[in-house]
Amino acid sequence: MHEIRRFYEFALLGLTFFAGATASAQQTGAPWAYDGKTGPFNWGKLDPAYKACSEGKEQSPIDIRGARPNKTLPKVEFHYLAGTMTLLNTGHTVQVTPPVGSYILLAGTRYDLVQFHFHHPGEEAVKGKLPDMSLHLVHKSADGKIVVVAVRLNEGNPNAVLAALWEHLPKTVNATGKLAEEMNPAGLLPADRSYWTYEGSLSAPPCTEGVRWIVFEQQVEISRDQLRTFAALYRVNSRMLQPTRGRKIEASE
């Protein structure tokens, strides 16, 4: 944990690319950033709508350890469709919006895939070790409940599916990109769908709680060049780990 904390302190002090970051195109509350006076330590003070960021009791991300096996956990059924993706540089991350129609089924409830985005370094620590990057696929049910599926990305072989997205990464805030060819977000998922799960929050303002997290145990590889390409845009766009506060963490297998 001390190594993680020192990493964040060093990275935030050295962060220059988005120092004084501007609000994203989708900003609805007070401007926030991953560094400086509007960084994570102050999110809860920036806007009453961000109150949960400082006062919430079930915040994300967390360090996953001591997960209890639960063979009764439901299988996550992925019903993702291939389509043309739209990319947006929000000023906080690169967000990808898929065509309408992709969804997951979890315990009989449908959650539509709203968007997916990336964090560097990754946010989901496992026994104190952070991944190189994280992919978050955000889903919402008809009654507004949120499920985030997290994929841990670590340096290894080139990722062919990400390569198609990386060719269209918008380089400036509010800039957009669009894939000329269709892609299926399912190609970003690991082959083994075993997962850890816990109750948490959005990991960025407004830090809304009541979010069900599904974190895949198997990692997905991404090349060093692909990591560097994203890091050139966002050297640090991840939140520090939050207290677990005795929350139940379960493993599907």
Side-chain angles (χ1 to χ4, degrees):
M1 287 296 290
H2 291 298
E3 292 181 0
I4 295 173
R5 189 176 295 111
R6 283 198 298 271
F7 169 82
Y8 274 106
E9 289 172 351
F10 175 80
L12 290 171
L13 285 171
L15 183 59
T16 57
F17 187 84
F18 271 109
T22 58
S24 74
Q26 297 183 333
Q27 188 78 55
T28 56
W32 57 273
Y34 284 101
D35 70 313
K37 294 181 179 180
T38 58
F41 291 108
N42 295 315
W43 284 350
K45 305 173 186 176
L46 300 176
D47 191 311
Y50 304 167
K51 187 177 180 180
C53 298
S54 59
E55 298 184 11
K57 305 301 182 184
E58 294 189 335
Q59 289 291 290
S60 297
I62 63 171
D63 184 14
I64 297 173
R65 60 175 71 215
R68 296 183 179 181
N70 182 353
K71 294 184 178 181
T72 67
L73 286 174
K75 177 182 177 182
V76 184
E77 298 180 29
F78 288 86
H79 299 271
Y80 285 176
L81 303 176
T84 301
M85 306 291 152
T86 302
L87 294 78
L88 170 67
N89 186 325
T90 69
H92 302 124
T93 186
V94 173
Q95 178 177 297
V96 184
T97 302
V100 174
S102 290
Y103 65 95
I104 62 171
L105 282 177
L106 182 63
T109 300
R110 172 173 171 153
Y111 297 85
D112 291 307
L113 177 62
V114 179
Q115 51 98 343
F116 57 92
H117 60 268
F118 302 89
H119 294 277
H120 177 269
E123 293 191 321
E124 289 70 44
V126 177
K127 296 181 180 179
K129 185 176 181 181
L130 291 167
D132 294 323
M133 284 185 64
S134 289
L135 161 65
H136 289 170
L137 299 114
V138 183
H139 306 77
K140 184 177 284 190
S141 66
D143 61 357
K145 290 184 171 60
I146 297 173
V147 171
V148 179
V149 174
V151 180
R152 296 177 299 135
L153 305 173
N154 275 307
E155 184 178 329
N157 294 316
N159 188 304
V161 179
L162 283 180
L165 287 174
W166 262 220
E167 289 180 8
H168 303 277
L169 284 179
K171 301 297 192 296
T172 57
V173 178
N174 296 334
T176 60
K178 193 165 187 176
L179 269 67
E181 65 281 358
E182 292 189 346
M183 70 157 284
N184 192 324
L188 298 168
L189 306 178
D192 185 345
R193 304 291 168 81
S194 301
Y195 65 87
W196 296 294
T197 185
Y198 74 97
E199 195 80 9
S201 73
L202 298 179
S203 63
C207 305
T208 306
E209 294 190 336
V211 175
R212 171 56 55 181
W213 281 82
I214 303 290
V215 182
F216 284 124
E217 296 180 21
Q218 184 179 29
Q219 305 169 42
V220 169
E221 292 186 349
I222 181 173
S223 72
R224 179 174 296 183
D225 285 344
Q226 289 174 323
L227 283 169
R228 287 175 173 172
T229 297
F230 190 87
L233 295 178
Y234 291 98
R235 185 174 174 183
V236 175
N237 72 328
S238 50
R239 189 187 193 189
M240 72 287 292
L241 297 174
Q242 302 297 302
T244 306
R245 299 182 188 275
R247 272 177 281 175
K248 181 170 62 176
I249 305 172
E250 295 183 307
S252 65
E253 293 184 11

